[in-house]
Amino acid sequence: MAGIPGLLLLLLLLLLLCAVRQVSPSSAHWKPTWPAYRLPVILPQSTLHLAKPDFGAEAKLEVSSSCGPQCHKGTPQPTYEEVKQYLSYETLYANGSRTETQVGIYVLRSGDGESSGKSRRKRQIYGYDSRFSIFGKDFLLNYPFSTSVKLSTGCTGTLVAEKHVLTAAHCIHDGKTYVKGTQKLRVGFLKPKFKDGGRGANHSSSAVPEKMKFQWIRVKRTHVPKGWIKGNANDIGMDYDYALLELKKPHKRKFMKIGVSPPAKQLPGGRIHFSGYDNDRPGNLVYRFCDVKDETYDLLYQQCDAQPGASGSGVYVRMWKRQQQKWERKIIGIFSGHQWVDMNGSPQDFNVAVRITPLKYAQICYWIKGNYLDCREG
């Protein structure tokens, strides 16, 4: 019995230590936590008016490349001047006018990666099709699925602010010119489709999925990085396959914030999630999740099942926000397309997402906010 007080004392000391360090299975220490980044600042320096484009490109709902992870990792780092060129951008307005903006980069800690990419055929289902079609307004109209929207060019986008949609650059620009329909680009929001004034009817218990329709909002202007426009950036591939659309009016839905992509090993379970309007399931929003197989500074390689039409989907994860003491989903990438990779002499295919790096975060955030002081936290 004499050893009991010593045991109690040891237990009390352990409890006190846990309380001081706030270490417990339910504390932030045990949660996948959003990392803090020191972000660069990207500011416009000059703007040049360009001739109106001809909008002659055919819309391509996927991008293919044969340059895999090792190819990307072996590419030399771009210079500071090259990065400034890649992050300069074109703005297209609803009246067809267009500008090019040169940018300056400040407090730059690391350069963006560079890569190359070209063509191959499509195959984006890996073994058993693990996609889930989302039915019923109780799911489709609720977060996070309600942040997925459809572009009139056939791709998917994600709501990232009150009037802004993030998507893939190839959905509106083929690297040389803008695709047909971009001048009158619209964004579609799924809404319930009611019959005979049955707005108040509740059919959620029915086994038959509810009919949905798209309500469309016109786009006011688009931003595309010059890194995607291959004539200016030496065909660097998928690294800059992202674009931001500004709507003519607010959409009045909850949106998902963008965030800097953490290393794959820090992602919860090593997984990513995204929802899109895959062409083989017309009218359906399709959700999927899968493990990240490899990564470079600019790209995430995974084998999430996807089909054309899902391009432009926002890739997101849910992690712990230490400052607000809450869980939060953020967009960390944009689903781009497909790559065939030579893995030790054996071809292997991946689906690829463009990572939101600190530089890309600073650029996209500035497009949204218009003030770099609002873009200091990734």
Side-chain angles (χ1 to χ4, degrees), residues 209-237:
E210 294 181 70
K211 294 291 185 181
M212 305 290 285
K213 65 178 181 178
F214 285 102
Q215 177 181 341
W216 299 90
I217 297 179
R218 286 285 301 274
V219 172
K220 178 181 179 181
R221 61 179 175 177
T222 67
H223 299 299
V224 177
K226 295 295 284 185
W228 170 251
I229 300 172
K230 297 177 174 61
N232 185 63
N234 302 319
D235 199 11
I236 61 173

Side-chain angles (χ1 to χ4, degrees), residues 309-327:
S311 292
S313 301
V315 172
Y316 65 88
V317 294
R318 180 176 176 266
M319 298 175 70
W320 182 251
K321 190 75 171 175
R322 184 179 286 113
Q323 295 89 332
Q324 284 80 32
Q325 291 290 294
K326 67 176 184 179
W327 293 97

Side-chain angles (χ1 to χ4, degrees), residues 60-313:
K60 292 184 178 180
L61 302 186
E62 65 173 359
V63 175
S64 296
S65 171
S66 57
C67 181
Q70 296 309 313
C71 168
H72 283 258
K73 293 173 185 177
T75 305
Q77 288 281 345
T79 66
Y80 171 71
E81 290 300 323
E82 287 173 333
V83 172
K84 285 206 306 179
Q85 284 297 312
Y86 300 158
L87 291 173
S88 296
Y89 56 92
E90 277 193 15
T91 301
L92 176 70
Y93 298 87
N95 64 2
S97 63
R98 158 177 84 121
T99 60
E100 176 182 311
T101 303
Q102 299 294 321
V103 302
I105 304 173
Y106 308 95
V107 197
L108 185 66
R109 300 185 66 191
S110 61
D112 245 359
E114 182 182 348
S115 67
S116 62
K118 268 293 181 192
S119 62
R120 189 97 184 221
R121 66 182 182 86
K122 60 186 178 184
R123 175 188 170 271
Q124 296 177 284
I125 301 297
Y126 301 90
Y128 177 75
D129 189 350
S130 59
R131 297 171 298 163
F132 302 88
S133 292
I134 306 300
F135 293 117
K137 70 178 190 299
D138 292 340
F139 291 102
L140 286 168
L141 302 183
N142 285 332
Y143 187 86
F145 303 117
S146 58
T147 64
S148 295
V149 293
K150 186 176 180 65
L151 274 59
S152 56
T153 54
C155 288
T156 300
T158 306
L159 304 176
V160 292
E162 290 88 350
K163 294 174 65 177
H164 292 89
V165 175
L166 187 64
T167 188
H170 75 259
C171 295
I172 61 173
H173 196 292
D174 73 347
K176 295 179 181 178
T177 189
Y178 290 88
V179 305
K180 296 177 182 178
T182 304
Q183 188 174 358
K184 297 181 179 180
L185 186 63
R186 299 179 300 158
V187 171
F189 299 76
L190 271 181
K191 298 280 187 179
K193 186 176 182 180
F194 299 102
K195 293 183 178 179
D196 301 322
R199 181 172 293 274
N202 183 3
H203 303 290
S204 59
S205 60
S206 173
V208 179
E210 294 181 70
K211 294 291 185 181
M212 305 290 285
K213 65 178 181 178
F214 285 102
Q215 177 181 341
W216 299 90
I217 297 179
R218 286 285 301 274
V219 172
K220 178 181 179 181
R221 61 179 175 177
T222 67
H223 299 299
V224 177
K226 295 295 284 185
W228 170 251
I229 300 172
K230 297 177 174 61
N232 185 63
N234 302 319
D235 199 11
I236 61 173
M238 293 183 172
D239 293 7
Y240 295 91
D241 188 11
Y242 58 93
L244 188 76
L245 320 179
E246 181 181 344
L247 304 176
K248 286 194 170 183
K249 63 180 182 179
H251 52 73
K252 299 180 181 180
R253 287 193 180 189
K254 185 177 180 180
F255 56 85
M256 196 179 302
K257 295 179 181 179
I258 63 170
V260 175
S261 173
K265 64 183 179 181
Q266 294 184 19
L267 300 178
R271 293 192 187 97
I272 57 171
H273 309 250
F274 63 95
S275 301
Y277 293 97
D278 300 52
N279 281 3
D280 64 333
R281 300 188 186 183
N284 289 351
L285 180 65
V286 184
Y287 163 76
R288 73 227 78 197
F289 65 92
C290 67
D291 297 341
V292 174
K293 301 295 185 182
D294 204 343
E295 64 181 327
T296 65
Y297 184 72
D298 285 281
L299 301 174
L300 291 173
Y301 294 83
Q302 33 80 14
Q303 291 183 327
C304 283
D305 292 327
Q307 288 288 302
S311 292
S313 301

Side-chain angles (χ1 to χ4, degrees), residues 32-50:
T33 303
W34 286 108
Y37 292 94
R38 185 183 178 189
L39 295 170
V41 173
I42 296 180
L43 293 175
Q45 290 186 326
S46 63
T47 299
L48 175 68
H49 288 274
L50 304 175

